[in-house]
Amino acid sequence: MKGENYDFSGLDDLYKTADELPEVSRHEVYAHQEELDEWEEIPYRDSLWTDDGRATGVVSSSESFYNVIQYGDILGTVGDAIGRRPISEPEQTLIV
């Protein structure tokens, strides 16, 4: 799995980076049984895929569990928290 690098320095760049991050959607997960050469759905997991076609991980398929999957939302929330209590300007490289 190859990631993309997103660099930002300061809150303005952080919010701009959050807007540029790919959207993520949930899809079914399947397992392959090699001896029988059969595929079976794993009903308790969902795979996460970016809108540019990269697999990014798996989460619980249950709606009862909270799963943040939109990277831009996570980064925006971090920016909001820093903005309410500015200690320093954020500077980071994010790999998605």
Side-chain angles (χ1 to χ4, degrees):
M1 186 173 2
K2 181 181 176 278
E4 297 290 328
N5 291 341
Y6 298 88
D7 296 314
F8 57 88
S9 178
L11 279 178
D12 289 340
D13 280 352
L14 182 143
Y15 286 120
K16 181 180 174 190
T17 301
D19 290 339
E20 294 173 357
L21 290 172
E23 291 292 311
V24 178
S25 59
R26 297 169 93 118
H27 298 273
E28 297 168 341
V29 172
Y30 290 86
H32 183 245
Q33 213 288 3
E34 290 182 18
E35 291 177 14
L36 300 175
D37 194 25
E38 292 183 4
W39 290 89
E40 182 176 330
E41 182 182 352
I42 307 299
Y44 50 87
R45 302 301 279 174
D46 283 342
S47 59
L48 302 178
W49 292 81
T50 61
D51 56 7
D52 59 2
R54 292 179 285 142
T56 61
V58 295
V59 295
S60 171
S61 62
S62 174
E63 294 298 321
S64 299
F65 295 100
Y66 180 63
N67 293 299
V68 175
I69 60 171
Q70 301 302 337
Y71 299 119
D73 292 348
I74 297 169
L75 207 53
T77 301
V78 169
D80 293 345
I82 292 170
R84 284 192 301 272
R85 190 175 201 146
I87 298 169
S88 64
E89 288 290 306
E91 187 171 325
Q92 192 61 258
T93 296
L94 176 67
I95 301 174
V96 174

